[in-house]
Every structure is written in C-alpha cells, then in structure tokens.
Amino acid sequence: MSHKSVYFAQRNPGLGERFRPRWRRHAALAMSLPEVWDPVTRYTQCDPLRDPPAALSVTARYDGIGIAWFSSIDSFRGAAKSEAMDAMRRDELETFQAPVSELSFRCTETVLKDEGPALFKIFSVMNRADEAPTLANFPGRLVEGLATELLTDAWLSARLARLAVSVPNELSLAAEGIGRLHDALLELSFHTLDEAVAFFDLDAYASMTAAHQVVEIERCATRELLLDDRGFYD
C-alpha cells in the first residue's frame, strides 16, 4: 500500500486555453523546490479526454486530475508545513479555481494489477450505499470483494492494464483533513480507448458495484502523463 493525494482540478477562469501549459509550469515549480518534491515518489497529470465516447458516461467538470504519491504520511505533513509550500500555494491560486488542499482526496492505495504504463485512466469515485458495512470494514470488503471480482472476470480483466483501489487515509479522516471526502476511488487504466469502452459497455461493472454495496457518484476519463524532472510538456 502507498499514500497519495489525488486532486480534481478546475482552472483559474482567467487562464482559458492556457491552462494546460500553466499546469505543467506548476509541476515544474514543485520539482524545483526540494522541500516539496523530495517526499514525492511519483507524480502524474491526467488530461481529460476532449471528446470522450458517450459509452464511457463521464463528467466534463474537471480540467485535469493530478496524483502525487508520497513516501509516507509524515513526509506529506512535512512538505505541507514547509516554507517552500507557501510558494506552491501562491502558484495554485494563479493556476486553479481553488487551493489544491480543497480539491484533494488524500488516500491509501492498494494496487491489484499493474502491467506498466497505460495511456488511458478512468477514475471511478465511489461512496458506500446506505445499507453498506461501516467504514471500518469497508476497505477490506472493497479490495477482497469488488476489485477481486473484477479481476476474476476474464473478459473484464483482459481489458484492464492497471487496477488500483484507494480509500481515505488518516489525513482525510483526521480533524486536519479538508478537501474531498469519499469512501473510495477506483483507478482503471487501459492501453487503448477501445478497451476502456468495451470494459464499460456492458452492465457487468455497474452490476458488480451494486452487488458490493457501492455507488459510483462520478466517472472521469483521462490521458495520463507521467511527469519527472526531465520533461513537463506534451
């Protein structure tokens, strides 16, 4: 398991079509600040699909989704309290509609399948159904139940390149936690858009989520770009 922060970005309205390069510059700033960047073990920016197939039933609310993985929760806390983070927060207000802390889902990730980099990533934001088990029991049921069943289904699993299940970590659940609060986030990656469409085209995914007492409240379709200190732009 690993700890990460997923933020669902909406652009500063003044940027218009200049948002994407400005977002890349925001990442470049983070990479130039050791107090901010050293705790990060991996970072990606996911650009929304411009014309997603209707079969994917995705939202168009977001201008991008960013994911930062951290070496530990303590390292995340340390970065958040550093002086360098003040520069990041000022830059956030020029880049996004709101501070990243208000846009973020802080979580612990369990990866159940990973075939390496895949271009297309679908985010499935989920909450427990009203009759679902308590949150204390929920993560295990989600991983051992829904996620395992998705991978056991040969037709669905063959189309998935990566499957990760994330649930709120102590940063989300503690009094200090702000931002997005959900019960779970599934990330489903595909090598091709056709595989993604085929995966969601049938009722199998919806039937499985319902059977495991989770409700999908939002689905986002993106292209994933892994960023490091060697390249920031498309």
Side-chain angles (χ1 to χ4, degrees), residues 14-95:
L15 288 174
E17 294 302 314
R18 294 175 293 135
F19 170 73
R20 185 179 293 182
R22 184 66 181 81
W23 190 22
R24 304 293 192 254
R25 283 172 50 200
H26 181 70
L29 174 62
M31 294 173 195
S32 73
L33 301 170
E35 288 179 295
V36 173
W37 192 247
D38 286 353
V40 176
T41 59
R42 185 171 181 251
Y43 177 69
T44 67
Q45 288 184 348
C46 300
D47 298 318
L49 298 186
R50 290 188 180 274
D51 295 301
L56 291 179
S57 301
V58 297
T59 182
R61 287 208 303 144
Y62 306 110
D63 297 306
I65 298 175
I67 312 174
W69 286 259
F70 293 88
S71 52
S72 67
I73 286 182
D74 287 341
S75 69
F76 178 92
R77 284 197 176 102
K81 295 176 181 177
S82 68
E83 291 185 11
M85 188 58 75
D86 292 337
M88 290 298 295
R89 294 189 181 103
R90 289 192 295 270
D91 198 68
E92 288 170 8
L93 296 179
E94 297 179 8
T95 308

Side-chain angles (χ1 to χ4, degrees), residues 69-131:
W69 286 259
F70 293 88
S71 52
S72 67
I73 286 182
D74 287 341
S75 69
F76 178 92
R77 284 197 176 102
K81 295 176 181 177
S82 68
E83 291 185 11
M85 188 58 75
D86 292 337
M88 290 298 295
R89 294 189 181 103
R90 289 192 295 270
D91 198 68
E92 288 170 8
L93 296 179
E94 297 179 8
T95 308
F96 308 115
Q97 191 177 55
V100 166
S101 59
E102 297 179 12
L103 310 173
S104 297
F105 176 58
R106 297 166 181 175
C107 49
T108 299
E109 174 189 72
T110 300
V111 178
L112 291 98
K113 181 177 182 178
D114 192 351
E115 295 181 347
L119 184 57
F120 299 98
K121 183 186 287 286
I122 307 295
F123 295 84
S124 183
V125 182
M126 295 183 163
N127 280 339
R128 291 170 297 147
D130 291 340
E131 68 276 14

